[in-house]
Amino acid sequence: MLFKRLGYSDRIMIVVIYVFLILLSFTALYPFWNTLVVSLNEGLDTAKGGVTFWPRIFTFSNYATVFDDDQILNAFMITILRTIIGTISAIFMTALLAYGMSKSYLMGRKFFTIFFIVTMYFGGGLIPTFLLIKSLGLMNNFLVFIIPGLISVWNMIIFRTFFKSLPVGLEESAQIDGCSNWGVFLKIILPLSGPVIATLGLFTAIAHWNDWFAPTIYITNQDLMPVQTVLRRLLNANLFNQASGSGNVNSLTLETLGQKSLTAKSIISATIMVVSLPIIAVYPFVQKYFVKGVMVGSLKE
Amino acid sequence: MSEVTAKEHYSSIPPERRLVNEKSFFQRLWKQMDIQLMVWPGVVLIFIFAYIPMYGVLTGFMDYDIFTGANIFENPWVGFKHFESFFNAPQFWTIMRNTIVISLLKLLIGFPAPIILALMLNEVRHRGFKRVIQSITYLPYFMSWVIVGSIVMSLLSTENGSINILLKGIGAIDESINFLSIRDYFWAILVSTNVWKDIGFNSIIFMAAIAGVNPSLYEASEIDGASRFKQMYLITIPTIMPIIIIFMILAMGSLLSAGFEDILILAQNPSLRPVSDVIDTYVYRAGLQNQRYDYGVAVGLFRAVVSVTLLTIANFLARRTGNSLW
């Protein structure tokens, strides 16, 4: 059935392609599977080596350790909070801006457009941004996760393109019924933008969830560290332990790790699984939308 | 019918037939104040977070004192001093070499990989199989570099690392190798991790391009007896060529962005610096971590100037092929 009406060389090509694709999928899945297996295997046993496809000594104790650690739990709360607040506020502010920009009678529209587009090609770079954040007093402040990312010019353009494609009659009839522009935006435009909001919202949320670098430079207070940053510090501490054989690092989690340096790998694996689980959970929904997202983005080019 | 007020009557007359002059600038502005108020918060935010840092770039030409207040002009101008000290720094050539080699390697391997994957997926006629493969290969793209990095470290580690287990199993090595501490392996690990992470997601755009190929071309060639392989390189590849060229040009413009997060995560071992230091990581370490802000800004600015130049050249080339960006 697979080879219907195919020549000899084509059959070889098809077989090679199928084999290659299966191997590729294996390499994409195996690292996650192996991490899951290690996270479910008893730590001291993992250190002996040879744990690959299936746990040898099954245990949930690594997860228990992760959920017992106050710092990791707190970091989770920070990540969840910043993802929810950051995504909702960014999508709202960006959509609001885009709605204003979609009005052809907006005075100064040409100027605003150039004003925004320029920032897509030029930026101040790492250190000037850092100095700005510092002088704004956003260091060690939860708002540093939210405010600088409120407006995404790229998303604004996508929103604006979408708003322009909506039928004008809708807005006009609402305005005749006495609706202000704000009313039109809140009661008509936003509810109609479901798919676009979902697409851009999911991408924004994933970016918030995955951000680990900004906190490493803007946050020194342990209580404000999101989980990705904490995970990275765990890894560093683990490398440090392996290199020097001592666990003398000054933080709660790192202490826990130092005591149990033999099981560090298992605990890290469990943390990885807990951190990536939400992404894997929303993945089916993202997948439904992201192809659209990529296409919208490229149409603009 | 209700009575028509004067105002309503006036607004029903088309503007060109009105006797009264147009309203003044401020009156018009006032009238659309609701819309203006939607735009201004965004303008202010972008001004603060995108334009003020641009002006902060001037610190690259100053001796910046860490304790200066908001007014950076209190600092003395020093011209190109920091640029010169970067060009004369002992690491300069190492950094430039690493930056260019790493980004060329990423371009050479990471660029064709998703195109090949898209071409292969296009040959799969079994819908369910295709969808499963796509879902699986897109997944790593959505993971942060911290997670990808820790998974790679775990796979390569000497303690129950699957790669070492495999190599020992097939008898290729006797002792576990600590891959992430050996300079010779670093570029290979970095580039393959990048390809692994992005190949699926980057193939989407090419899949879409392939989907746009006119099916009658395939039908006609089939009647002429073309094999699937011939269809691929005589129809599919030439049709998606313009998109490939655009993306190629974009990639050339970012020749000095060899990567940042991936290198920070994977090259945590300081002994790797001779092969892992690139401009961006150097700006971070020398400029931010060691608090030589002025110097770091200068290095970053150098990178930005070269990048914009490259992008302009690339776009000039693109215009000649009829695929310009702007």
Side-chain angles (χ1 to χ4, degrees):
Chain A
M1 179 198 91
L2 200 61
F3 294 133
K4 202 171 63 183
R5 293 185 315 174
L6 281 182
Y8 184 66
S9 59
D10 277 351
R11 287 183 193 194
I12 294 177
M13 186 178 86
I14 297 290
V15 170
V16 169
I17 286 177
Y18 272 76
V19 170
F20 178 86
L21 290 177
I22 289 169
L23 279 177
L24 183 75
S25 308
F26 174 75
T27 59
L29 268 191
Y30 175 76
F32 294 106
W33 178 252
N34 182 247
T35 312
L36 178 68
V37 167
V38 169
S39 74
L40 289 170
N41 196 54
E42 211 270 317
L44 291 170
D45 178 63
T46 307
K48 290 180 198 152
V51 179
T52 50
F53 289 98
W54 211 250
R56 237 183 347 233
I57 302 176
F58 186 87
T59 176
F60 278 119
S61 69
N62 301 315
Y63 286 92
T65 313
V66 170
F67 285 114
D68 256 359
D69 189 307
D70 286 340
Q71 201 201 334
I72 294 184
L73 280 187
N74 181 61
F76 257 110
M77 284 315 295
I78 295 288
T79 299
I80 292 170
L81 267 182
R82 71 167 285 188
T83 304
I84 294 174
I85 300 175
T87 306
I88 293 176
S89 56
I91 290 295
F92 181 79
M93 290 303 287
T94 305
L96 184 69
L97 171 66
Y99 181 66
M101 293 290 290
S102 73
K103 295 285 170 213
S104 51
Y105 60 81
L106 175 79
M107 288 168 74
R109 200 171 73 113
K110 276 217 175 100
F111 166 77
F112 291 140
T113 308
I114 295 167
F115 178 84
F116 288 120
I117 301 281
V118 164
T119 64
M120 297 175 83
Y121 294 96
F122 301 97
L126 180 68
I127 294 174
T129 311
F130 169 80
L131 294 175
L132 169 76
I133 298 282
K134 210 170 128 187
S135 66
L136 288 175
L138 286 173
M139 299 286 280
N140 276 324
N141 187 334
F142 181 77
L143 291 176
V144 78
F145 299 136
I146 312 294
I147 297 178
L150 277 179
I151 301 290
S152 150
V153 174
W154 181 258
N155 289 351
M156 186 273 280
I157 291 171
I158 294 174
F159 265 126
R160 195 186 61 178
T161 313
F162 176 78
F163 293 156
K164 277 184 178 170
S165 74
L166 291 174
V168 197
L170 276 172
E171 286 181 42
E172 281 174 354
S173 58
Q175 269 158 351
I176 288 169
D177 290 345
C179 218
S180 68
N181 273 319
W182 283 78
V184 172
F185 174 70
L186 294 172
K187 289 181 202 146
I188 295 175
I189 301 293
L190 279 188
L192 279 175
S193 314
V196 185
I197 291 177
T199 312
L200 300 180
L202 279 168
F203 275 96
T204 311
I206 288 177
H208 268 288
W209 188 269
N210 282 342
D211 176 36
W212 62 275
F213 180 70
T216 53
I217 56 177
Y218 299 135
I219 305 285
T220 50
N221 179 355
Q222 293 285 332
D223 299 337
L224 282 174
M225 291 272 183
V227 74
Q228 302 265 3
T229 315
V230 170
L231 178 61
R232 179 174 187 235
R233 299 183 62 172
L234 281 178
L235 286 170
N236 277 349
N238 186 34
L239 283 181
F240 178 75
N241 280 347
Q242 278 181 349
S244 67
S246 75
N248 187 19
V249 197
N250 56 347
S251 113
L252 252 180
T253 328
L254 308 188
E255 259 170 46
T256 330
L257 257 191
Q259 287 157 12
K260 306 178 181 174
S261 74
L262 273 177
T263 60
K265 184 168 178 175
S266 312
I267 295 167
I268 287 175
S269 299
T271 316
I272 293 174
M273 287 323 291
V274 182
V275 176
S276 36
L277 202 68
I279 302 245
I280 295 173
V282 297
Y283 185 62
F285 304 99
V286 189
Q287 224 201 340
K288 193 173 145 198
Y289 287 116
F290 68 52
V291 178
K292 239 183 264 169
V294 173
M295 296 320 290
V296 175
S298 60
L299 280 183
K300 182 252 141 203
E301 290 274 7
Chain B
M1 239 188 114
S2 67
E3 245 176 66
V4 179
T5 65
K7 201 178 159 199
E8 274 170 16
H9 175 72
Y10 175 77
S11 59
S12 71
I13 304 172
E16 64 274 12
R17 293 181 56 194
R18 289 177 195 167
L19 290 174
V20 187
N21 266 340
E22 267 302 322
K23 288 174 189 152
S24 79
F25 175 81
F26 289 105
Q27 277 173 312
R28 282 190 296 146
L29 193 66
W30 182 249
K31 214 182 152 229
Q32 57 166 258
M33 214 50 210
D34 51 345
I35 287 289
Q36 290 282 340
L37 280 178
M38 292 178 173
V39 175
W40 278 99
V43 172
V44 170
L45 281 167
I46 288 291
F47 179 77
I48 294 174
F49 291 104
Y51 281 88
I52 293 183
M54 283 189 213
Y55 134 100
V57 156
L58 291 176
T59 49
F61 301 95
M62 297 171 179
D63 262 338
Y64 183 79
D65 180 3
I66 303 174
F67 301 104
T68 5
N71 180 14
I72 61 167
F73 293 106
E74 291 165 11
N75 299 298
W77 293 95
V78 293
F80 288 92
K81 177 181 144 192
H82 301 300
F83 293 85
E84 277 165 25
S85 62
F86 174 55
F87 298 144
N88 295 323
Q91 311 97 316
F92 176 73
W93 288 109
T94 319
I95 291 170
M96 290 309 287
R97 182 203 62 177
N98 292 342
T99 308
I100 291 170
V101 169
I102 289 175
S103 64
L104 278 182
L105 280 175
K106 281 184 179 172
L107 189 66
L108 224 63
I109 298 161
F111 186 76
I115 302 176
I116 294 169
L117 176 62
L119 288 172
M120 284 186 160
L121 281 170
N122 186 44
E123 295 305 318
V124 173
R125 296 291 189 264
H126 193 286
R127 281 229 169 170
F129 181 76
K130 191 168 167 178
R131 200 168 299 156
V132 169
I133 300 280
Q134 282 177 300
S135 301
I136 293 173
T137 51
Y138 298 165
L139 184 63
Y141 177 85
F142 293 97
M143 298 295 167
S144 75
W145 268 109
V146 173
I147 292 192
V148 170
S150 41
I151 287 176
V152 169
M153 280 177 215
S154 154
L155 285 179
L156 293 173
S157 80
T158 48
E159 173 201 325
N160 193 49
S162 296
I163 302 285
N164 274 314
I165 294 174
L166 174 75
L167 289 177
K168 274 195 254 178
I170 60 170
I173 51 169
D174 297 326
E175 276 292 300
S176 289
I177 300 177
N178 190 357
F179 288 97
L180 279 167
S181 65
I182 301 172
R183 289 178 195 169
D184 290 349
Y185 297 143
F186 181 70
W187 289 344
I189 293 170
L190 182 72
V191 173
S192 38
T193 310
N194 266 287
V195 171
W196 176 78
K197 188 173 190 285
D198 294 341
I199 184 172
F201 192 79
N202 288 349
S203 72
I204 293 178
I205 197 84
F206 299 107
M207 290 290 290
I210 291 172
V213 178
N214 188 346
S216 63
L217 289 175
Y218 293 117
E219 283 158 22
S221 69
E222 215 160 280
I223 294 168
D224 289 345
S227 69
R228 292 272 285 272
F229 186 65
K230 274 201 163 163
Q231 290 181 335
M232 188 200 283
Y233 81 93
L234 288 178
I235 300 174
T236 317
I237 296 181
T239 322
I240 64 171
M241 214 31 154
I243 290 183
I244 295 180
I245 291 174
I246 284 205
F247 276 76
M248 189 85 196
I249 288 162
L250 270 179
M252 286 192 313
S254 55
L255 194 65
L256 287 196
S257 334
F260 181 65
E261 292 190 28
D262 49 350
I263 296 175
L264 276 190
I265 295 275
L266 287 174
Q268 276 165 5
N269 192 330
S271 71
L272 287 175
R273 277 184 196 159
V275 290
S276 72
D277 254 353
V278 297
I279 297 181
D280 287 332
T281 54
Y282 184 66
V283 169
Y284 174 56
R285 201 182 61 241
L288 202 59
Q289 287 186 317
N290 297 345
Q291 300 201 324
R292 286 172 71 193
Y293 298 139
D294 39 17
Y295 179 68
V297 169
V299 178
L301 187 60
F302 161 73
R303 199 209 82 135
V305 169
V306 178
S307 294
V308 170
T309 315
L310 284 174
L311 193 67
T312 315
I313 296 172
N315 190 57
F316 172 74
L317 294 176
R319 198 169 286 166
R320 293 187 56 173
T321 63
N323 296 307
S324 156
L325 286 176
W326 65 76

